[in-house]
Every structure is written in structure tokens, then in C-alpha cells.
Amino acid sequence: MKLKNLLATTSLVLASLAAPSTHAAGTLTVALHQDPGNWDPIATFLVSWGAVGGQVFDGLIMRTPDMKLAPGLATKWEFLEKNTKLRFTLRPNVKFHNGEPFDAEAVKFTFDRLLGEEGKKGPQQSNYNAIEKVVVVNPSTVDFVLKSPDPVLLTKLAGYGAMIVPPKYIKEKGSQFFGMNPVGTGPFKFTEYKPKISLSFERNAAYWGGAPKLDQLVYRFITEPATQAAELQAGRLDVANQIPLAMIDTLKKDSKLDVVSMDGPVALAMRYNTQRGIMKDREVRKALTMAVDRDAIIKTILLGNAKPIASFQGTLSFGNDPALKPLPFNPAQAKAMLQKAGVKPGTQIQLDFRGSDSNFREVAQAVAGYLQAVGITASLKPYETNVLLNDIIPNGKTGEMWQNQWGGWTFDYDNTAYSMYYTKQRWNPFDDDAKLNALLHTQRNTWDQAARKKTLQEIGRYVADQALEMPLYSLNTIYGLNKRAKNLALPVDGRFRFVEASVD
């Protein structure tokens, strides 16, 4: 047996042993491709955390599956004093899962913690730096005092770092314990966490939004898309969040299963290490981008489940510029540009990618093949995802190119561009561009959405002109589903809330 097949078989066997052979009554089982390893809202940025966070936590604001902002733990909000203060009226009679009350002090504690020393340890703090402080007006009212405008703030308050946490519980148990044993106000209560295996919840019968219809909710961490598909076919999964694209038609032919593919926010690119070797030359970076036929990759490898992009965002993103077109596929011109830049045939580069992502592995192989055709030898370097994201990229240890993937959960180019290109941000280990910094600062510090859109589009054009990355595609959000699962309210951003879900 080939090593690849042996590993896949072993993975499937282990996954099967870790799961029950049949569905438990009232239990929804969901596969996630990655275990964030910490369930504290301020500790992560991963889409896989977002897929779980809304089950156990609530924000002051919620975002519905149709992308509308709605009341969460706050029943209403208003801007005061020329948009320098944001006042929230809080929902009464809400309790955390451990029984302690939700009130204004809990909101203040959450944001003091997020914006303080504890928040510095994680990647979420910079998303909320427009908040100077939170002031308790009374037990049911809080004011957010703003030190600068943030036109995406309301959306940010609907997710990730802004999820409200229990003060007493964290003070007694500590942040490390809290990260492994999360407590919130959400529709499901944490029951058990087995790192890299599973995460389990039970229904919160006292949920302020109405008790969920499910009794239990189980997440299983299955990194390989092929294994997710096999478990779905075997009836041990209700929802798979990653499946091999080549298996979509096979799964659709199964009368018990369905596959849904929709426009999503996830953008993928090959980011250039602009401080290393030939990548220091902008014309070389442009040449390499022109050497790769991204349309062919979308058609043949992704089977049409993606759209080409000219900047690091999809069509759903505020700030996307439909007039900005990708550099054309032109290997002859790419060769000429490389020759003019003095790049010798056979020059070697390293391309880093997430090793568990079998779909992107094929994309990376195709990119390497196209580069080979213009005289560049690209070696592929797979990394365990958490290592790549938490060590290699933020510490500037990448090869000449690396897989850059972003969930774009705010559906606003600000959140993407600021994180990617502003000096010394986590995802920008190499570039320090004063003009780009100024543009990013300008759009972030105004409430004028029309002006913002114009500036964001200028940022997209400037980044494309500097060739900081090879834009690849905006990936469809794809789910494999067991038809016994009903009312899933499938989100385009992967952030499920299973309050209305049920199973036959």
C-alpha cells in the first residue's frame, strides 16, 4: 500500500474509533478541519473558532445568516456626542452558564480584559483599539468611549474578541482554565473538550433567545477533507465543513446527503516575502503572478467552486473594486520580465502551505508547475497549520512565498487590509510602507462610508501595483450535509448558530 493511502486509511480508522457508530437521538455532529486549541474569545482569529463561538458565547450585537446586525446581549444602541460615545442598553435577566448574572460589570470586565495586558497575548486586541474605555452607567447600561472612529466597530462587536465573558468565573479559575472550559451566555453549555478529537455541548434550556431544539451538539476535529467525506457517507457526521471538491458529485448522488456551495468571504493568495532573494524586486513578483493561470486552477482543480480575485478579497467584501482586474496569464511576458530582472533559469524558491489542506496542496503543486515553466524551481514546504500561523508567518520565517488565507469575517476590506499590510501587524512580518499605512489609517478613522470605499479601493490598487501577493481566488463556502439535519441556517462565513436546528 502506498504511504499516502496508508496514512489516509489510518486517519479514517482513528476518526471512526473516536466517533459513535450511529447518531445519538437529538445530537447534531459537525466536523471542523482545525482545533484552535483555546476557546477564550481573545485568544484566536480562526474561522474554526468562529464556527463554535456563537454556540457558547453571545456578543452585544449579533449577525444573522443574511448578514444583518441584530440585538444580542444589548437590546439597543445609539451613538452620542458626535459619534464619540456608543451607548448600549443591556438585555435583562440573562445569566452565564455557571449562574452568575450578565450585567454592565460583565461588559466592562470583558473589554477591560480584551484591551489590557491579557488581550495583548492574543490577536484580537487590534480590532478594538478604537475603544478607549467602557463606562458603567448603571447595571443595564454601558457607554463605550471612543478614542477614534471605527466604521466597522458594530460588526466587530458581533464576533470573536467581543464575545462577553463571565468575570467571577475567570477571576476564580484563571484564563488558562477558561480557555479549556468555556462559559458564556450562549444557547449551548460546554460539557467536554478532548483536544484535537472533539468538543461537546448540551442544550442551554434557559437561553434568553429560546431553548435550542437539539439536546447535544458535538464537534469533531477532522483535518483531512477526504476523511470528513467518508464519515459523512458512513452516517457519523451531519455537517462537514471541508470535503474534497472531486467528491462533490459523488456525495450529491447519495440520497441521504447534500452538498451546498455558495459565495464566501475566504480569499486565498500566495504572499511574497518581499525581503528575500528575488522577491525584493516588484517586477519579479509581477512576473511570477503572470506566470500562473489562475483561471485554469479554478476550473480544473477547484471545479468552479471559486472566483478569480485581483485583490485579497471577494465580491462580498465592502471595498472590493470590480474595475480592478487580475494581472493576465502571460508566461511569455513573465519570462521576459524575469530575464530583464536578471533572474537566472533554475532559480530556487520555497513555497510554504498548510499541509493538512489537501485541496490547496493541489493548487500549490499547480503553482509550482507554472513557475517551473518560466524557469523558477519552487519547492513545496508543508507545515502543520497552527505552526505556520502562530510561528512561521508572524515571526518572519517564511520561504519566498506562502499560502495566505483569510476568512474576511467582517465582510469589509478594512479588517483584511489592516491586518495584512499595516506595519508590524501579525500578518505583515516584512513590509513597512508609509503610504500604505497612511491610506489604511485614513479609511479606518472616518464614519463616511463613501469616502472609505474610495480609499479601500485605492488600497487594493496600490497593493496590486506593489505586487505584495499573487491573488488566487475567493473560495466558495461548501458544506457536506446529512439530510436528517434540518433548519441549519447555513452561514456563508462558517459561523453557525444551531438554535433552530433539529435532527430527524
Side-chain angles (χ1 to χ4, degrees), residues 3 49 88 114 120 201 475:
L3 178 60
W49 189 97
F88 288 94
L114 169 63
K120 284 183 180 179
F201 298 94
L475 188 65

Side-chain angles (χ1 to χ4, degrees), residues 268-270 292 294 297 301-302 349-355 357-372 376-383 388 401-404 470 472-473:
L268 287 99
M270 295 304 307
V292 176
R294 285 145 287 161
I297 287 173
I301 297 177
L302 304 178
I349 64 172
Q350 179 177 300
L351 191 161
D352 303 334
F353 69 102
R354 304 180 186 190
D357 188 342
S358 60
N359 288 328
F360 192 82
R361 187 183 302 125
E362 292 187 50
V363 172
Q365 290 168 346
V367 169
Y370 283 117
L371 296 182
Q372 184 70 45
I376 302 297
T377 302
S379 62
L380 302 183
K381 176 72 172 179
Y383 283 98
L388 182 63
M401 300 171 69
W402 78 87
Q403 178 187 355
N404 206 25
M470 177 194 296
L472 292 173
Y473 48 81

